[in-house]
Amino acid sequence: SQKIEQNSEALNIQEGKTATLTCNYTNYSPAYLQWYRQDPGRGPVFLLLIRENEKEKRKERLKVTFDTTLKQSLFHITASQPADSATYLCALDMYSGTASKLTFGTGTRLQVTL
Amino acid sequence: NAGVMQNPRHLVRRRGQEARLRCSPMKGHSHVYWYRQLPEEGLKFMVYLQKENIIDESGMPKERFSAEFPKEGPSILRIQQVVRGDSAAYFCASSPAGAGRISGANVLTFGAGSRLTVL
């Protein structure tokens, strides 16, 4: 079965720096890879998605890359702010032909300090 | 335009009791998913439903757990004879049918979750 690995250790960075989070997966590449943000006590919120035939996607300060050869996605937050502190989850869209469901990684906690 | 509504937000049960968690999907969404999140663990898929149909229940424990999404009313996740290991946050998410999707992808809108504590 598909395994999704995200760095379980928290990532601590200084305000203004670029945060880079990694998502690795095994087996076959999904049709889509999505990134969500989760704050404590709340449900995940969708941020960005990238298709298997896309190399890079941007949205404001966010950038996602997708390398199907390495089976890896990188999630970048440029000019990070303390408000960016949260847990970031990657999710693979495993479409089976009749239904799709998202399989999530365990998430990486980002802490942005002043 | 209310999002995904889950209730109760917090539920305390004693071992052996039943827990019922409710989820009203976002307006216009016809697909409902239930996920479970244990402390320090990721979201684990449980079940995927459309109105009156269970599409995929591969993540549901074989016993004590059931889910439904009736024609009228919210989706219900039911846990019978709860045990301490059932303590977790249960998240419901919804998505539109294919035509309403972002770039064709199945983007989920999550509720705030229901936190079950079993004493």
Side-chain angles (χ1 to χ4, degrees):
Chain A
S1 61
Q2 186 75 274
K3 275 191 177 179
I4 304 168
E5 294 176 352
Q6 292 186 257
N7 193 343
S8 58
E9 290 183 15
L11 179 63
N12 295 295
I13 65 164
Q14 205 172 18
E15 183 181 21
K17 303 288 187 187
T18 296
T20 298
L21 289 72
T22 305
C23 175
N24 294 296
Y25 58 93
T26 59
N27 300 343
Y28 51 92
S29 291
Y32 301 89
L33 191 145
Q34 303 183 27
W35 284 88
Y36 289 73
R37 167 184 173 141
Q38 186 174 23
D39 290 283
R42 299 197 171 193
V45 175
F46 169 75
L47 294 175
L48 213 54
L49 73 85
I50 188 165
R51 295 182 187 186
E52 61 177 332
N53 61 352
E54 295 176 321
K55 295 289 186 191
E56 182 179 298
K57 226 26 182 322
R58 289 176 187 261
K59 180 183 176 183
E60 297 172 354
R61 294 186 296 112
L62 308 180
K63 185 178 84 171
V64 173
T65 63
F66 194 8
D67 188 325
T68 54
T69 302
L70 293 177
K71 297 187 178 179
Q72 181 182 79
S73 174
L74 298 179
F75 179 79
H76 306 269
I77 305 175
T78 58
S80 58
Q81 305 165 1
D84 295 326
S85 299
T87 296
Y88 291 86
L89 308 167
C90 74
L92 273 57
D93 194 335
M94 309 305 299
Y95 185 71
S96 68
T98 56
S100 77
K101 66 187 183 195
L102 292 189
T103 301
F104 285 84
T106 52
T108 298
R109 191 162 59 87
L110 172 67
Q111 184 69 43
V112 181
T113 55
L114 295 170
Chain B
N1 185 15
V4 177
M5 304 301 292
Q6 287 190 250
N7 66 82
R9 288 294 312 277
H10 300 274
L11 183 63
V12 179
R13 285 286 179 266
R14 297 190 180 279
R15 279 180 297 170
Q17 291 184 320
E18 178 179 288
R20 280 187 181 232
L21 309 177
R22 287 175 291 277
C23 169
S24 295
M26 198 163 168
K27 189 175 180 181
H29 286 190
S30 55
H31 299 221
V32 166
Y33 302 78
W34 286 93
Y35 285 80
R36 176 163 64 177
Q37 188 171 42
L38 292 164
E40 306 303 322
E41 291 190 19
L43 286 162
K44 300 295 185 190
F45 168 80
M46 298 181 75
V47 63
Y48 161 37
L49 310 104
Q50 293 178 24
K51 281 288 186 182
E52 299 185 279
N53 288 306
I54 295 175
I55 307 301
D56 183 341
E57 56 180 347
S58 57
M60 287 278 271
K62 293 286 184 274
E63 296 176 352
R64 301 187 299 108
F65 285 72
S66 63
E68 62 176 8
F69 189 14
K71 188 176 179 182
E72 302 291 337
S75 175
I76 307 281
L77 179 67
R78 183 183 178 204
I79 311 172
Q80 295 178 288
Q81 300 173 341
V82 296
V83 300
R84 288 222 174 100
D86 296 333
S87 296
Y90 291 84
F91 289 97
C92 170
S94 69
S95 67
R101 295 183 171 182
I102 298 174
S103 303
N106 191 22
V107 172
L108 300 185
T109 300
F110 280 86
S114 291
R115 276 148 190 86
L116 172 65
T117 301
V118 180
L119 301 177

